[in-house]
Amino acid sequence: MLVQNRWLTIGYILASWMTMGLFITVHEHLFLSNFPEVTASRAMAEYSFANNLIAAVASLGIAGSLFAWMEIRIFRDRLIKLNFVKAIAIKVSIYTVGLLFLLMLISLIFNTVLSGRSVLDPEGLGEVRSFVFSISIFHPIGPMITMAVATSFVIQLSERLGSNEIWKLLLGRYSKPREEERIFMFLDLDDSTTLAEQLGNEQFHNMLNDFFYDIAKTIIKHKGEVVEYVGD
């Protein structure tokens, strides 16, 4: 994958995750503004929209960075050949476990070290346990898992259809045809029938998948597009 495309992918992921943090904070603020008795309570005495905004954008930015790193460095080449649903399921399962561990670690640090206690302080550990096994944990992890599912879905589609095709579908390019100047290259495998007879159906199919996957990198590198796969 071209480095430029890699950085664009990271940029898209970070922008979407941090925007989600902004929406969450604004939604929470608008919700609380309709219940002044809640914001006036002792539990909400230290509530600050600015602090919550910084915390939400920063935390989702960190989570988005980890997500982007795993997508590009771990999952891209390992899961590209799996079927769509299975690849999404594996990713979301790993992300859910990782996010739970990250939230537990953040809660531990906040309730112990940052609160002036030792890491093994019973009171701090009790607060961590209460947070993990309470409904409150769904407040931070819910949006993160939602973003993980959504971005994984888009990335899987772009890997199979191409990012250009995704944008064309979203912008309605196929509903408004227009003339363009293009250079076409037709590619055919030499002696593909003989290869199919020698390898058998399953091995030949695997060879085609490997060939398509390898050549797609070169096509993307030179800003080309795959129109369709036919024959063989």
Side-chain angles (χ1 to χ4, degrees):
M1 178 61 67
L2 198 61
V3 174
Q4 181 181 1
N5 290 338
R6 184 180 302 164
W7 283 109
L8 282 174
T9 302
I10 293 174
Y12 291 147
I13 292 174
L14 285 179
S16 60
W17 280 63
M18 294 174 75
T19 302
M20 184 66 172
L22 172 63
F23 286 154
I24 291 171
T25 308
V26 172
H27 176 268
E28 183 181 56
H29 178 73
L30 294 175
F31 176 79
L32 291 174
S33 64
N34 292 322
F35 299 93
E37 65 277 6
V38 176
T39 54
S41 64
R42 181 180 299 179
M44 299 294 294
E46 298 181 359
Y47 171 78
S48 169
F49 173 75
N51 290 341
N52 276 22
L53 178 62
I54 293 172
V57 172
S59 60
L60 281 170
I62 294 172
S65 299
L66 294 173
F67 177 89
W69 179 81
M70 293 182 70
E71 282 287 340
I72 293 173
R73 301 296 298 178
I74 298 177
F75 292 142
R76 171 162 284 173
D77 292 330
R78 290 175 172 81
L79 301 183
I80 188 65
K81 297 178 183 179
L82 294 181
N83 70 67
F84 192 89
V85 175
K86 188 174 181 179
I88 292 289
I90 291 174
K91 287 182 180 182
V92 173
S93 299
I94 294 174
Y95 289 139
T96 301
V97 174
L99 289 172
L100 283 171
F101 177 78
L102 181 62
L103 287 174
M104 290 173 61
L105 181 61
I106 293 173
S107 178
L108 177 64
I109 295 173
F110 180 81
N111 288 296
T112 57
V113 178
L114 297 181
S115 299
R117 304 168 178 147
S118 67
V119 178
L120 299 178
D121 182 80
E123 186 177 354
L125 294 176
E127 292 180 0
V128 173
R129 193 180 302 108
S130 297
F131 168 71
V132 171
F133 292 101
S134 70
I135 197 173
S136 301
I137 197 171
F138 290 101
H139 178 68
I141 202 172
M144 291 183 179
I145 293 177
T146 301
M147 286 302 301
V149 173
T151 46
S152 291
F153 184 82
V154 173
I155 288 172
Q156 287 295 114
L157 277 180
S158 65
E159 289 290 338
R160 284 158 172 75
L161 302 179
S163 56
N164 290 333
E165 298 302 315
I166 297 294
W167 283 111
K168 288 177 182 178
L169 287 172
L170 294 176
L171 297 175
R173 286 282 300 276
Y174 293 113
S175 61
K176 298 178 180 179
R178 67 180 184 182
E179 292 186 0
E180 293 182 348
E181 291 187 3
R182 294 293 183 96
I183 298 174
F184 285 88
M185 180 182 74
F186 297 91
L187 182 65
D188 188 28
L189 290 176
D190 189 27
D191 291 331
S192 59
T193 303
T194 303
L195 284 173
E197 293 174 349
Q198 293 175 348
L199 296 175
N201 293 333
E202 185 174 350
Q203 290 188 19
F204 181 68
H205 180 75
N206 291 333
M207 187 205 72
L208 285 179
N209 283 339
D210 292 337
F211 173 74
F212 293 150
Y213 176 69
D214 291 336
I215 199 173
K217 293 182 179 180
T218 304
I219 293 171
I220 293 173
K221 179 179 179 180
H222 294 283
K223 299 181 180 179
E225 297 179 23
V226 178
V227 178
E228 61 181 345
Y229 296 108
V230 295
D232 296 321

